[in-house]
């Protein structure tokens, strides 16, 4: 389902280099599947066919249906891995104007706790006064400041609006089975809860309740998404040179050794913007440590061809580009003829918009390769739940492989603590 084309990347490294990196990728995959590398206590996500339980999926579906009944807005509170997976999939698969459609089958899913903007929270709470609302609060550690603050305010709002007892039916918590403040709070208040498995870290948790409950609330076809994940599991865990996760990890490491320090993930479909954000977290937090790591950046084309295009074409040559392409759009929009042809577009009459987009994609790849930017092409057949499930899982496995190839522990994030330490000191945490 995931097609990877390295034709426009291989000329930037020798065949011997690529073969060598493919062998290293193969070994890294073995380390990952056998659990013999660093961070091996965080490999629960590797085999979704093992950890995904029908009973839990049924429960997710039931809670999602309940939270959809007579509820206009569900606020999902979380940050990092407790937010980006759900956001990515919901944006990728929803109608771009879902919230403006006159008839909606599913609640509008909004996010909070992914930053600490005072104005954002004020405006969210103001808006919530006018709608029937519920909330899903997600934190693996149960102690992260941003979501904890947002939850304190949203909990108060829901309790004041519906009363303490009914509020409990409108709040669901997703957290560790035993540890953290959120677990204690949820148990004391009697909220429904889902567990984030111990051995699955935040950025690898999209196929646990962390991602699946918000997706189900937004109307994503979760069973189909899981089908895509399980199908891809067979392909991405297979120690075969054609395995796209092995190929992707191998080529980015081969190019990195040739001085390509930054990888830009480019899409030609705006619905994929948050897939890029999710990918940035996955690769940035997994690989960027000990002075090592390929810097993950993202662009939305053709929009950013009119801003970042100049730099990519002509700036310092330390870039590689990965184009994330959707073979077939869901809708068809054909270009109409115009008698006067004042805009000069009649040469496109009868073609559709996607034809123009695809020609822009081809032309961009040719130009960037000519400009010295190697291109990795990753294609999914269509933007649906099955493909997106497969795509995210493909990236997860490739990330584990690539992290081991770089020689880091892809499953920890010690660097994230530095800002917290300073912030807590400045906030004088623990002094009152
Ligand atoms: O990947 C990670 O582990 C992080 O990005 C976490 O998901 C993020 O910091 C949020 O943590 P928590 O779910 O504990 O609130």
């Amino acid at each position: 389902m995931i097609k990877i084309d390295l034709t426009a990347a291989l000329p930037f490294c020798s065949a011997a280099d690529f073969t060598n990196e493919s062998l290293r990728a193969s070994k890294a995959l073995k380390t990952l599947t056998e659990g013999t590398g660093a961070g091996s206590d965080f490999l629960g996500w590797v085999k979704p066919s093992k950890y995904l339980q029908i009973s839990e999926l049924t429960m997710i579906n039931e809670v999602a249906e309940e939270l959809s009944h007579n509820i206009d807005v569900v606020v999902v509170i979380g940050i990092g891995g407790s937010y980006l997976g759900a956001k990515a999939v919901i944006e990728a698969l929803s109608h771009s104007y879902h919230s403006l459609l006159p008839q909606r089958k599913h609640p509008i899913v909004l996010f909070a706790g992914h930053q600490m903007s005072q104005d954002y929270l004020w405006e969210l709470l103001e808006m919530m006064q006018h709608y029937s609302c519920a909330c899903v609060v997600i934190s693996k550690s149960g102690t992260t400041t941003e979501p904890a603050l947002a939850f304190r305010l949203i909990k108060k709002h829901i309790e004041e609006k519906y009363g303490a007892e009914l509020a409990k039916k409108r709040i669901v918590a997703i957290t560790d089975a035993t540890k953290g403040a959120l677990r204690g709070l949820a148990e004391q208040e009697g909220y429904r809860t889902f567990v984030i498995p111990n051995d699955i870290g935040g950025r690898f948790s999209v196929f646990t309740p962390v991602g699946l409950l918000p997706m189900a609330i937004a109307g994503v076809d979760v069973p189909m998404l899981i089908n895509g994940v399980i199908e891809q599991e067979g392909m991405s865990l297979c120690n075969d040179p054609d395995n796209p996760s092995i190929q992707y990890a191998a080529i980015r490491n081969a190019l990195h050794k040739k001085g390509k320090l930054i990888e830009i993930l480019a899409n030609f479909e705006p619905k994929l913007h948050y897939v890029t954000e999710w990918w940035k977290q996955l690769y940035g937090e997994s690989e960027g440590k000990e002075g090592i790591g390929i810097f993950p950046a993202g662009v939305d084309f053709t929009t950013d061809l009119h801003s970042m295009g100049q730099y990519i074409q002509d700036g310092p040559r330390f870039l590689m580009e990965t184009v994330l392409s959707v073979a077939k759009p869901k809708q068809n929009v054909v270009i109409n003829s115009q008698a006067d042809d004042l805009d000069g577009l009649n040469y496109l009459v009868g073609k559709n918009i996607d034809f123009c987009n695809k020609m822009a994609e081809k032309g961009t790849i040719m130009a960037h390769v000519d400009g010295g930017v190697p291109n990795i092409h990753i294609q999914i057949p269509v933007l649906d739940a099955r493909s997106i499930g497969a795509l995210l899982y493909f990236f997860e496995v490739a990330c584990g492989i690539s992290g081991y190839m770089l020689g880091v522990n892809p499953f920890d994030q010690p660097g994230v603590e530095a800002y917290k330490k300073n912030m807590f000191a400045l906030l004088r945490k623990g002094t009152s």
Side-chain angles (χ1 to χ4, degrees):
M1 192 183 325
I2 306 297
K3 279 195 190 159
I4 180 161
D5 181 356
L6 306 181
T7 321
L10 289 171
F12 291 84
C13 61
S14 72
D17 286 342
F18 181 67
T19 308
N20 191 35
E21 292 307 311
S22 300
L23 289 173
R24 292 202 324 113
S26 231
K27 276 195 195 142
L29 174 61
K30 201 159 175 280
T31 306
L32 188 72
T33 51
E34 291 178 357
T36 50
S40 57
D41 40 351
F42 281 100
L43 296 180
W45 60 273
V46 174
K47 294 186 180 148
S49 56
K50 290 231 166 90
Y51 77 79
L52 284 167
Q53 305 290 325
I54 300 285
S55 54
E56 187 163 56
L57 295 174
T58 309
M59 186 71 81
I60 286 173
N61 195 36
E62 279 170 18
V63 173
E65 270 182 22
E66 206 183 299
L67 285 188
S68 305
H69 189 64
N70 288 335
I71 288 181
D72 307 308
V73 173
V74 176
V75 181
V76 175
I77 300 175
I79 195 167
S82 292
Y83 140 73
L84 279 164
K87 176 81 174 162
V89 174
I90 293 170
E91 291 279 315
L93 300 180
S94 303
H95 191 295
S96 302
Y97 301 101
H98 173 248
S99 60
L100 293 175
L101 291 177
Q103 260 133 26
R104 289 184 298 272
K105 279 207 278 183
H106 306 282
I108 297 168
V109 173
L110 298 176
F111 291 85
H114 54 303
Q115 25 74 356
M116 287 195 283
S117 161
Q118 181 157 289
D119 287 351
Y120 182 95
L121 269 174
W122 189 93
E123 287 163 12
L124 182 70
L125 292 165
E126 188 203 30
M127 178 278 302
M128 285 174 74
Q129 290 172 14
H130 306 289
Y131 294 96
S132 169
C133 295
C135 154
V136 178
V137 53
I138 308 173
S139 177
K140 181 162 191 225
S141 62
T143 55
T144 309
T145 311
E146 292 90 334
L149 276 175
F151 183 55
R152 182 179 277 219
L153 295 161
I154 289 168
K155 174 179 185 289
K156 177 169 175 274
H157 171 95
I158 294 180
E159 284 173 351
E160 283 175 359
K161 193 162 164 188
Y162 304 103
E165 274 316 299
L166 287 180
K168 289 178 191 173
K169 295 196 180 310
R170 289 177 180 253
I171 296 174
V172 177
I174 305 180
T175 188
D176 186 88
T178 53
K179 294 190 297 284
L182 181 57
R183 169 55 59 188
L185 179 62
E187 276 175 12
Q188 191 182 304
E189 297 285 0
Y191 300 148
R192 271 163 307 173
T193 60
F194 287 93
V195 170
I196 308 175
N198 252 338
D199 56 355
I200 301 186
R203 57 191 174 276
F204 290 88
S205 69
V206 57
F207 305 124
T208 71
V210 170
L212 299 179
L213 180 63
M215 288 179 211
I217 294 169
V220 170
D221 186 345
V222 170
M224 197 46 90
L225 179 118
I226 299 299
N227 283 347
V229 176
I230 309 273
E231 276 170 44
Q232 192 60 37
E233 180 183 332
M235 288 173 240
S236 279
L237 296 188
C238 158
N239 225 324
D240 182 303
D242 288 338
N243 171 343
S245 293
I246 287 189
Q247 292 193 343
Y248 179 52
I251 192 68
R252 60 199 299 282
N253 274 273
L255 295 170
H256 184 235
K257 286 186 172 162
K258 295 282 174 204
K260 306 301 180 189
L261 308 177
I262 297 174
E263 179 181 5
I264 305 174
L265 189 67
N267 66 72
F268 284 78
E269 168 50 65
K271 289 181 186 212
L272 290 174
H273 175 84
Y274 277 95
V275 168
T276 301
E277 294 305 306
W278 171 87
W279 171 90
K280 277 162 61 182
Q281 188 211 357
L282 183 68
Y283 281 80
E285 220 169 55
S286 300
E287 293 189 339
K289 47 198 76 157
E290 297 163 38
I292 301 172
I294 302 170
F295 184 84
V299 284
D300 299 323
F301 288 160
T302 61
T303 311
D304 292 338
L305 286 170
H306 299 259
S307 56
M308 296 304 288
Q310 172 62 38
Y311 191 106
I312 299 170
Q313 188 67 46
D314 234 3
R317 301 297 74 191
F318 48 36
L319 306 175
M320 60 177 115
E321 188 171 55
T322 297
V323 165
L324 190 49
S325 181
V326 182
K328 201 171 179 309
K330 279 184 271 189
Q331 314 298 347
N332 190 22
V333 179
V334 177
I335 299 161
N336 55 300
S337 101
Q338 217 171 59
D340 50 23
D341 195 26
L342 284 179
D343 54 12
L345 290 175
N346 271 359
Y347 74 102
L348 291 172
V349 167
K351 302 274 191 313
N352 63 19
I353 296 292
D354 191 56
F355 172 77
C356 303
N357 202 26
K358 288 289 187 301
M359 293 308 110
E361 183 180 312
K362 268 193 176 170
T364 303
I365 294 171
M366 281 157 65
H368 289 177
V369 169
D370 283 349
V373 180
N375 190 275
I376 304 165
H377 194 261
I378 294 172
Q379 191 188 59
I380 54 170
V382 65
L383 204 44
D384 63 7
R386 185 168 159 254
S387 304
I388 211 84
L391 178 71
L392 299 195
Y393 180 75
F394 149 83
F395 274 136
E396 286 184 342
V397 175
C399 181
I401 298 174
S402 184
Y404 281 151
M405 291 173 76
L406 286 163
V408 297
N409 174 358
F411 307 111
D412 65 1
Q413 52 284 329
V416 179
E417 293 311 310
Y419 98 92
K420 291 186 192 168
K421 202 169 141 238
N422 293 339
M423 177 180 74
F424 291 144
L426 292 164
L427 288 171
R428 302 178 68 78
K429 185 178 178 183
T431 54
S432 70

